[in-house]
Amino acid sequence: MKPGPTADYPMKVIHELSEEEPPTAELYAGVFTAVLNFVVYIVFIPDVSAVAPPWDDHLLPANFDEIITSEQARLAKALLGRYVVTPNDVRAGTEEAFEWGHDGEYGPSSGVVFYVTPGDFTRYAAGLARLAEMNENDVYPKKTVTALRGYEVIAFIERRVLASQWLRPQDAVMLGLAPGGPKHF
């Protein structure tokens, strides 16, 4: 299935615990990734305020296969995400851009963190868990965003992440939020 720009994009939620092999899988419990139109990833990670910010790889092993704590697993998923949502009482309602890997072979990676209250995160995580169960064993999403708008977490994603100044132009195009995309003759 080839993704193309569409406002009623397919959406799938993945519980990252199911993507990892034991015994490290448990380190990813509570981490969810919302995949919008196959190309836009929003990572929801439980509280990491004891280790981040700063949002960099200061606590991670050079080889991510050597991750041994849930804090490391959460931080790694956050750093690999373009858009990250996490609870933080002090920073709730704010956003923070980050870059890491400046000395890496491919240059720095960047993303943005959207902070929410712990209560909001708990509600979003409950919705994400239900959404993850819908596609647990499916490669392709079964539903589009229009069918999922009854979930509070979907409203949050649209209101806070997709409507933000941080949404990359190419992602806005793929989600039908901006003109562009391939021309058909």
Side-chain angles (χ1 to χ4, degrees):
M1 192 174 281
K2 185 176 177 181
T6 179
D8 191 21
Y9 46 85
M11 183 173 172
K12 179 178 179 176
V13 174
I14 300 165
H15 190 179
E16 293 297 337
L17 177 135
S18 68
E19 297 293 298
E20 302 294 329
E21 296 294 325
T24 59
E26 287 301 316
L27 301 177
Y28 297 88
V31 178
F32 295 93
T33 301
V35 183
L36 288 58
N37 203 13
F38 305 98
V39 295
V40 179
Y41 291 73
I42 303 169
V43 182
F44 288 76
I45 58 167
D47 187 11
V48 289
S49 57
V51 297
W55 295 97
D56 60 32
D57 58 351
H58 68 284
L59 294 178
L60 299 177
N63 180 348
F64 281 14
D65 290 335
E66 297 172 3
I67 287 173
I68 57 170
T69 69
S70 61
E71 289 81 10
Q72 289 176 331
R74 292 171 181 179
L75 185 58
K77 285 294 179 184
L79 292 178
L80 296 173
R82 188 176 295 162
Y83 309 104
V84 179
V85 178
T86 192
N88 186 304
D89 263 335
V90 175
R91 297 172 185 261
T94 66
E95 295 92 29
E96 178 179 4
F98 66 86
E99 280 191 350
W100 72 283
H102 292 276
D103 55 351
E105 180 179 342
Y106 302 104
S109 296
S110 64
V112 63
V113 178
F114 296 84
Y115 295 106
V116 297
T117 67
D120 286 344
F121 189 85
T122 298
R123 288 192 318 280
Y124 300 152
L128 291 164
R130 287 191 300 278
L131 290 167
E133 289 172 0
M134 282 183 195
N135 290 108
E136 195 167 24
N137 298 313
D138 299 316
V139 174
Y140 298 110
K142 290 181 178 178
K143 306 238 180 200
T144 64
V145 71
T146 300
L148 301 175
R149 285 208 169 104
Y151 287 86
E152 181 182 13
V153 68
I154 302 302
F156 166 80
I157 288 171
E158 291 183 323
R159 178 185 73 251
R160 183 96 184 271
V161 179
L162 302 184
S164 79
Q165 67 177 348
W166 301 104
L167 186 66
R168 294 181 182 187
Q170 63 270 31
D171 293 339
V173 168
M174 288 303 292
L175 300 176
L177 301 172
K183 305 283 188 235
H184 300 284
F185 299 96

